[in-house]
Amino acid sequence: MGPPARLCQVCNEAQSKYKCPNCFTPYCSLVCFKNHKETPCAKPEPTEEKPIVPESPVERPLNVDEPSQVLQKEQLESIASSSEIRDALQDESLQKLILGIDSSSNPEIELDKAMEVEAFRTFTDKVCMCFAMEILASISP
């Protein structure tokens, strides 16, 4: 048995045989199609799930006990230029962990949770290695 018969949504009398190419409204004839086209129609929005992305990052003050804990521009550039770190950031699960920390109202707790994940610990080790290499390069003659 085929799909259930649909009633024409234009005349509401006959069985529909066609669908509008824009809005997929069922219609039965050329007359009904022309009547339907007298009023503009639009394609329905796709119903597929979109990734959940926070609309804006959580605003929080920067509270640092030691100014030396704040990354300097050179350190940030070192991280950004590391192909190893850029490659690691291609991992979607790592992206989600970082986004979860960044968008959390309590990032310390989220960071503690993330540190239980092997991929995140490996990533943080790579970031720390960038700093170590930079320090070694700055003290070498």
Side-chain angles (χ1 to χ4, degrees), residues 44-65:
E45 291 295 318
T47 57
E48 64 189 52
E49 285 187 33
K50 295 180 180 174
I52 299 171
V53 177
E55 291 188 22
S56 62
V58 175
E59 295 292 327
R60 55 179 140 330
L62 178 62
N63 297 321
V64 179
D65 296 331

Side-chain angles (χ1 to χ4, degrees), residues 60 100-112:
R60 55 179 140 330
I101 296 166
D102 190 48
S103 62
S104 174
S105 59
N106 196 336
E108 291 85 12
I109 290 175
E110 291 302 316
L111 180 59
D112 288 342

Side-chain angles (χ1 to χ4, degrees), residues 93-118:
S93 61
L94 183 60
Q95 291 175 17
K96 288 178 183 176
L97 281 171
I98 294 169
L99 181 62
I101 296 166
D102 190 48
S103 62
S104 174
S105 59
N106 196 336
E108 291 85 12
I109 290 175
E110 291 302 316
L111 180 59
D112 288 342
K113 289 179 190 174
M115 288 304 285
E116 296 173 7
V117 178
E118 179 66 30

Side-chain angles (χ1 to χ4, degrees), residues 67-106:
S68 63
Q69 292 178 342
V70 177
L71 297 178
Q72 301 301 309
K73 181 180 179 185
E74 296 81 22
Q75 293 169 313
L76 293 171
E77 288 172 348
S78 176
I79 294 169
S81 65
S82 168
S83 60
E84 193 173 12
I85 290 175
R86 284 197 313 270
D87 289 344
L89 286 170
Q90 297 301 311
D91 181 357
E92 281 188 41
S93 61
L94 183 60
Q95 291 175 17
K96 288 178 183 176
L97 281 171
I98 294 169
L99 181 62
I101 296 166
D102 190 48
S103 62
S104 174
S105 59
N106 196 336

